[in-house]
Amino acid sequence: MSEKLLSVENLTMKFGGLIAIDDLSFSAMKDQITSIIGPNGAGKTTVFNCLTGFYKASSGSMFLNKDNKTLDLKKFSDFKVAQKAGVARTFQNIRLFPQMSVLENMMVAQHNKLMAASGFSLLGLINAPSFLRKEKEAKEISKYWLDIINLTNRADDNAGDLPYGDQRKLEIVRAMCIEPYLLCLDEPAAGLNAKESAELNKLLKFIQKEKKTGILLIEHDMSVVMGISDHVVVLNYGKKIFEGTAQETKKSPEVIEAYLGTEE
Amino acid sequence: MDKNFLQSSLKDSLFTGLIALALFGPIVGLRTVAVNEALVVQPKWLVVALIVAFCAIGRFFINIYSFKKEQRRGEPSSLGKAISNFLDTKGSQIALGAIIFSVIFPFMPFADRYWMDIAIMMMTYIMLGWGLNIVIGLAGLLDLGYVAFYAVGAYSYALFAIHFGWSFWICLPLAGLFAGMFGILLGFPVLRLRGDYLAIVTLAFGEMIRILLLNWYTLTKGPDGLTGIPRPSFFGLPFKRYPDEGVETFHTFFGLEYSPMQRIIFLYYLILVLALITNFFTIKIRRLPVGRAWEALREDEIACKSLGVNPRNTKLTAFAVGAMFGGFAGSFFATRQAFISPESFTFIESAIIVAIVVLGGMGSQTGVVLSTIFLIGLIEVFRDFESYRMVAFGGAMVLIMIFRPKGILAKRKPTITMVKEK
């Protein structure tokens, strides 16, 4: 049994009278892929938005175990979740910097460490060797990731000019550039063909095994969910209706009912 | 040529003619003249007919040659493509040539007082354009109140110089610092605003500063303006024909004949150096993490947050740095004019600077130079035609937007490349 990475306890999110997430508790293990599935409007993306600081949860708590320290994610506001707690995310509708080159996208993801190295731009302005060294390192890291997704030869093209599947993969490796402990992926396989989602599975497995990064995955594509998830959480109307392994989920009557309805 | 296409172009140009008739008919066609102490309407239908014909035929040709020929409005026209290709490949040589030309410009045979004044004015606008380019072009924050920082720079320079008698080189950084602080002051309340809302608030901020300058009589002398701002000196050597007793002047020190042009040429070099500093600073900072974060923020603020980029600090630095250069330009303006009043800092100045940046191509340094030469040059050429100056200005904008919808130079170069540049 591996260590607990994330534990969400009694998370509730209300928008006025609408209860988007209702008393949700689940946990994700270190070096595991945890999938959150559920019909449209079940509150999956809202869970992500609460975790990554885009929304402030109405009640409940979220804890991240980072280097044997427990961080309360509620205490971090938007960008600090990524900067301080090491939670990275991607978006359902891809959010790259389309007019910037692929390499620049990767460099922006390493902003905080480069900013410190550039002495808040003062050392950078005078081309201090320490800054140039850091910049070169960052470029190496970018190249390492771009090599993995076979995009190195397009590194100087605008990110917006890439094919759709490559943009998805670029967004994931860009998120990996902040060296996260937890990577939250919002429907990474949406719009991908069979070959591309197989590649995606490989990439996610690589991140899980080699980088020891916990992955939280929202997905509709069951070939991805069943193929790589170690653990599945099923939501419906903001409530958790099932939690278990992929195999157990497939057989669960509650899940089948939520997706297909009941026989009258 | 396609018959349908001809037909629709004709229809479109007839419609344009109708609009022109509706607009110019009452404005130009009906003129009231005083005859025997009574106002009589004197129609001038021939002029109206000429204007309408010009609009309709012009529209027809625009239709044929620009819009529908290739059926792609967003694409640059072939001439524009050739120009930007030329600028892309020969960019550094052109920049070097332009710098050399601006250095030897004062010694050209035709460079008389008039030309030098225009050159100084253009240089000031280029510098302001480069400063605002950081805010609008890089960080994507549409700032319609940039003239406020220009004003803050000018007034803080003037007040320091008048009341404390400090020299230009001490007051200049102070003015920049003050303007930068005002940039942060503006930045805080507008952190959450984007697009149109941001534009409205910055516009209001620009007006607030102007009205403050008008009404704070004890400090700024209100509409009377500040007079007697010290002229700049050449490292302590003043430009004066009859200096005070015992003071060496520029022309006696170098053993030259006195000429008022010496001061003008010095001012020219001063603004040239200031503008070039702005330019090189911007080029350099664009390649640093903070510059890349500015551009990333322009592209997608939410993605920036998800990558741990602090949007607040990033925006504030953009505002502060842009405002600082506006302040530098302002203090140059104050020392050149020796007199400043709120009149010089009206909204139209902000609008001109924004137009320079947007028409030049957002974020393009060379584009700013080209559009300044084009726009300010046009205003100057039409100086003798008074009321048509702004028509020419507007016409120039329309032309650029038709032929280069993304600005004169729209191509963006990456700040870092994997492959070594060829």
Side-chain angles (χ1 to χ4, degrees), chain A residues 95 99 104 112 127 139 156, chain B residues 284 299 308 412 415 418:
Chain A
R95 285 187 180 275
Q99 305 277 327
E104 283 175 306
N112 285 313
N127 275 340
K139 207 170 143 180
D156 298 332
Chain B
K284 180 72 197 160
E299 297 285 301
R412 174 184 177 279
T415 56
M418 195 62 96

Side-chain angles (χ1 to χ4, degrees), chain A residues 54 78-79 82 91 95 97-100 103-104 107-108 111-112 114-115 121 124-125 127 131 135 139 156 174, chain B residues 281 284 288-290 292-293 296 299-300 302-303 305-311 412 414-419:
Chain A
F54 282 88
D78 49 28
F79 71 92
F91 297 86
R95 285 187 180 275
F97 307 120
Q99 305 277 327
M100 297 173 83
L103 180 60
E104 283 175 306
M107 296 297 277
V108 172
H111 174 78
N112 285 313
L114 284 173
M115 194 70 185
S121 303
L125 278 175
N127 275 340
F131 168 67
E135 191 177 55
K139 207 170 143 180
D156 298 332
R174 187 184 68 177
Chain B
F281 180 86
K284 180 72 197 160
L288 293 182
V290 67
R292 232 173 269 136
E299 297 285 301
D300 196 326
I302 291 177
K305 280 186 194 169
S306 80
L307 297 172
V309 176
N310 183 334
R412 174 184 177 279
T415 56
I416 184 167
T417 51
M418 195 62 96
V419 195

Side-chain angles (χ1 to χ4, degrees), chain A residues 3 5 53 66 84 88 150 159 167 186 189-190 218 224-225 256 259:
Chain A
E3 254 179 283
L5 176 64
K66 180 180 166 188
K84 300 260 161 67
N150 291 323
Q167 292 195 15
D186 198 344
I218 290 179
V224 175
V225 174
I256 294 168
Y259 272 92

Side-chain angles (χ1 to χ4, degrees), chain B residues 74-76 358-362 400-401 403-410:
Chain B
E75 288 289 301
V358 173
L359 297 183
M362 305 263 252
I400 295 179
M401 282 294 112
F403 291 106
R404 307 284 294 156
K406 288 176 186 164
I408 297 176
L409 289 180

Side-chain angles (χ1 to χ4, degrees), chain B residues 10-314:
Chain B
L10 261 176
K11 234 187 236 168
D12 188 48
S13 51
L14 280 179
F15 185 65
T16 310
L18 269 180
I19 294 177
L21 182 67
L23 273 176
F24 290 104
I27 297 174
V28 181
L30 304 173
R31 170 156 296 197
T32 48
V33 191
V35 181
N36 300 332
E37 290 177 23
L39 274 181
V40 179
V41 176
Q42 205 177 65
K44 296 172 90 179
W45 297 121
L46 183 68
V47 184
V48 176
L50 278 176
I51 292 176
V52 170
F54 176 77
C55 289
I57 294 170
R59 177 75 183 184
F60 185 69
F61 279 104
I62 288 172
N63 271 334
I64 289 182
Y65 287 108
S66 174
F67 282 170
K68 297 190 180 149
K69 191 165 149 200
E70 296 164 73
Q71 289 290 339
R72 341 167 260 193
R73 287 197 189 189
E75 288 289 301
S77 62
S78 52
L79 176 70
K81 236 180 225 163
I83 293 174
S84 53
N85 267 347
F86 177 69
L87 286 168
D88 281 343
T89 48
K90 298 265 166 25
S92 49
Q93 282 108 310
I94 294 169
L96 194 69
I99 291 173
I100 291 173
F101 175 77
S102 18
V103 169
I104 59 170
F105 178 76
F107 303 106
M108 297 288 202
F110 60 84
D112 54 5
R113 176 73 197 252
Y114 172 72
W115 277 102
M116 288 305 292
D117 276 342
I118 292 183
I120 290 175
M121 188 170 80
M122 276 194 185
M123 237 7 134
T124 316
Y125 276 110
I126 290 175
M127 178 170 176
L128 286 168
W130 277 338
L132 188 60
N133 210 358
I134 295 176
V135 185
I136 294 187
L138 296 185
L141 305 160
L142 184 53
D143 183 352
L144 293 183
Y146 193 62
V147 79
F149 308 122
Y150 190 42
V152 168
Y155 269 87
S156 46
Y157 171 80
L159 291 170
F160 280 128
I162 291 170
H163 293 298
F164 300 108
W166 291 341
S167 84
F168 179 79
W169 298 106
I170 298 174
C171 294
L172 179 80
L174 280 176
L177 200 71
F178 257 82
M181 271 160 48
F182 269 79
I184 294 176
L185 201 70
L186 165 67
F188 262 110
V190 300
L191 277 176
R192 288 162 181 277
L193 304 178
R194 329 199 80 243
D196 318 358
Y197 304 98
L198 176 74
I200 292 168
V201 176
T202 52
L203 191 154
F205 180 80
E207 284 300 285
M208 270 159 59
I209 295 287
R210 190 176 63 86
I211 290 167
L212 191 78
L213 293 175
L214 264 177
N215 290 293
W216 194 352
Y217 196 83
T218 45
L219 184 72
T220 65
K221 299 255 170 60
D224 304 347
L226 290 170
T227 48
I229 300 165
R231 297 283 195 173
S233 57
F234 185 83
F235 299 103
L237 301 170
F239 296 92
K240 274 184 185 166
R241 189 189 292 262
Y242 306 111
D244 304 334
E245 201 63 37
V247 176
E248 201 157 19
T249 63
F250 180 79
H251 68 282
T252 55
F253 185 83
F254 286 98
L256 299 168
E257 273 292 299
Y258 173 77
S259 149
M261 279 299 278
Q262 284 160 358
R263 189 171 58 81
I264 304 292
I265 292 174
F266 173 69
L267 281 173
Y268 174 80
Y269 280 123
L270 187 61
I271 187 67
L272 180 66
V273 168
L274 287 175
L276 285 180
I277 289 174
T278 314
N279 184 27
F280 288 124
F281 180 86
T282 313
I283 290 175
K284 180 72 197 160
I285 204 160
R286 212 188 129 223
R287 294 167 185 276
L288 293 182
V290 67
R292 232 173 269 136
W294 287 339
E295 292 198 77
L297 207 66
R298 175 193 69 200
E299 297 285 301
D300 196 326
E301 189 171 338
I302 291 177
C304 275
K305 280 186 194 169
S306 80
L307 297 172
V309 176
N310 183 334
R312 185 188 62 216
N313 292 359
T314 311

